[in-house]
Amino acid sequence: MAPLTYQIGKVRMHLISDGVYWTDGGGVFGLVPRVLWEKVIRPDELNRIPMDLRCLLIESGEGLILVDTGYGTKLPPKRLQQLSLASEARLLDNLAAAGFTAADVRMVINTHLHGDHCGGNIVLGPDGQLLPTFPNATYLMQRLELADASFPNERTRATYFAENFLPLVDLCAEQDGPGGAPRARLLSGDTQVTSEVRVQVTPGHTRSHQVVIIESAGETAIFLGDAGYGANLERLAWVPAFDVEPLQSIETKRALRDWAWRRDALLFFQHDIAVPAGRLRIEGENWRVEAVSEVVR
């Protein structure tokens, strides 16, 4: 899918897709009966719905920032078949379509370390070695998220894969990256990353999931990651089965939704196949996401 370009204040951003995959609708809508959620999106004959793998490229004054990296190119054929992930253009192709290369990226922020968000962190080299996909970038992730990903339990071990993140931290976060800096930078909570970009911990989907907030010239945008889809921002009770802390997830979405509405923030949706970006509106007692087209100045 072609990159989509937006701008808030002085910051230009591009939604760059790593393709489209298919997943069980029950995972996305949790306890909500299919008879209700299929009015929002129709599943296929296997009860699956399509999900985009959007990543956000930020043209920051302090260098090019990429938020999340999709599934990447290391998945075995069987897993690709299960996901029906067969898009001709993947992340690096679409990055090139936006006019950039992997070497141009100076920072990668992982919202969390599930395979569909950080699989593209690492690529297989010609001899099968694990190499950073973005050779000049420092990778930012939450310290608690790394701990949970490194020691998964029965619930989470199918979503965390060490080859996507441990080569970056070299077990002790000592592997040198660009300019001799650590390849991975571990964050301990909310952090101002650059003058216009910050991360905020938003627990629920995982204990230390983080959203990325861009603020410039009085305008705001938020890359939500898995902190919210359009449908479950409109209906807080629609909690994905993927969320490890479902009650916390509701309160996180409530707080994010209220804050974003007050700021009239531009919301970037990572997986919502129909709405890449939108703004929140209130109609009577009901919340609604209003889609926003590309904004280029």
Side-chain angles (χ1 to χ4, degrees), residues 61-135:
E62 285 116 305
L64 203 61
I65 300 172
L66 179 64
V67 185
D68 282 348
T69 60
Y71 266 118
T73 57
K74 303 189 304 300
L75 293 176
K78 181 178 180 180
R79 183 61 178 146
L80 288 171
Q81 183 179 21
Q82 290 171 340
L83 294 167
S84 294
L85 179 55
S87 304
E88 291 185 6
R90 300 292 301 281
L91 178 62
L92 296 184
D93 303 308
N94 290 319
L95 187 68
F100 302 100
T101 69
D104 295 327
V105 176
R106 291 298 181 266
M107 187 183 303
V108 174
I109 301 175
N110 289 140
T111 60
H112 59 301
L113 296 175
H114 286 172
D116 57 322
H117 295 261
C118 71
N121 284 356
I122 299 292
V123 66
L124 289 175
D127 298 322
Q129 69 270 45
L130 297 171
L131 301 172
T133 305
F134 305 95

Side-chain angles (χ1 to χ4, degrees), residues 225-237:
D226 279 346
Y229 312 137
N232 59 31
L233 283 181
E234 294 174 338
R235 312 163 182 84
L236 292 184

Side-chain angles (χ1 to χ4, degrees), residues 37 54 64 82 97-98 140 183-184 192-193 254 280-281:
W37 64 253
R54 296 188 191 98
L64 203 61
Q82 290 171 340
L140 278 62
R183 177 67 68 185
Q192 190 76 40
V193 175
R254 190 193 314 280
L280 288 164
R281 301 290 182 254

Side-chain angles (χ1 to χ4, degrees), residues 19-72:
V20 174
Y21 71 104
W22 290 73
T23 192
D24 188 86
V28 177
F29 296 105
L31 296 176
V32 180
R34 172 176 163 167
V35 69
L36 294 180
W37 64 253
E38 70 179 0
K39 296 176 182 177
V40 174
I41 183 168
R42 294 287 301 181
D44 68 4
E45 67 280 2
L46 298 176
N47 203 52
R48 302 179 308 170
I49 62 173
M51 304 279 276
D52 209 313
L53 288 165
R54 296 188 191 98
C55 308
L56 183 66
L57 189 69
I58 305 169
E59 294 189 42
S60 161
E62 285 116 305
L64 203 61
I65 300 172
L66 179 64
V67 185
D68 282 348
T69 60
Y71 266 118

Side-chain angles (χ1 to χ4, degrees), residues 50-297:
M51 304 279 276
D52 209 313
L53 288 165
R54 296 188 191 98
C55 308
L56 183 66
L57 189 69
I58 305 169
E59 294 189 42
S60 161
E62 285 116 305
L64 203 61
I65 300 172
L66 179 64
V67 185
D68 282 348
T69 60
Y71 266 118
T73 57
K74 303 189 304 300
L75 293 176
K78 181 178 180 180
R79 183 61 178 146
L80 288 171
Q81 183 179 21
Q82 290 171 340
L83 294 167
S84 294
L85 179 55
S87 304
E88 291 185 6
R90 300 292 301 281
L91 178 62
L92 296 184
D93 303 308
N94 290 319
L95 187 68
F100 302 100
T101 69
D104 295 327
V105 176
R106 291 298 181 266
M107 187 183 303
V108 174
I109 301 175
N110 289 140
T111 60
H112 59 301
L113 296 175
H114 286 172
D116 57 322
H117 295 261
C118 71
N121 284 356
I122 299 292
V123 66
L124 289 175
D127 298 322
Q129 69 270 45
L130 297 171
L131 301 172
T133 305
F134 305 95
N136 298 317
T138 298
Y139 290 71
L140 278 62
M141 59 193 73
Q142 286 291 327
R143 187 180 302 273
L144 178 58
E145 179 71 13
L146 176 62
D148 286 343
S150 301
F151 301 96
N153 58 31
E154 292 80 359
R155 169 76 184 272
T156 62
R157 68 166 54 109
T159 60
Y160 289 128
F161 302 97
E163 64 269 22
N164 293 332
F165 49 86
L166 283 188
L168 299 170
V169 299
D170 196 24
L171 301 182
C172 298
E174 294 175 353
Q175 180 177 339
D176 284 347
R183 177 67 68 185
R185 177 183 170 193
L186 303 184
L187 309 178
S188 298
D190 301 349
T191 303
Q192 190 76 40
V193 175
T194 73
S195 60
E196 296 166 316
V197 179
R198 63 186 175 93
V199 298
Q200 179 177 319
V201 175
T202 48
H205 182 64
T206 69
R207 288 199 302 163
S208 199
H209 180 284
Q210 59 184 356
V211 298
V212 178
I213 299 173
I214 305 96
E215 296 165 310
S216 176
E219 297 182 89
T220 302
I222 309 174
F223 186 78
L224 291 164
D226 279 346
Y229 312 137
N232 59 31
L233 283 181
E234 294 174 338
R235 312 163 182 84
L236 292 184
W238 288 27
V239 181
F242 301 129
D243 291 359
V244 297
E245 297 179 327
L247 298 182
Q248 178 63 65
S249 177
I250 290 175
E251 297 311 317
T252 291
K253 289 179 177 64
R254 190 193 314 280
L256 265 179
R257 185 179 70 176
D258 293 350
W259 183 84
W261 177 74
R262 291 194 303 271
R263 296 290 297 263
D264 195 29
L266 178 63
L267 306 177
F268 291 122
F269 296 104
Q270 189 153 22
H271 291 312
D272 194 316
I273 196 71
V275 183
R279 298 184 192 274
L280 288 164
R281 301 290 182 254
I282 300 177
E283 297 178 350
E285 297 182 354
N286 298 318
W287 290 82
R288 180 175 63 85
V289 173
E290 180 180 82
V292 173
S293 301
E294 287 186 275
V295 179
V296 184
R297 299 167 186 166

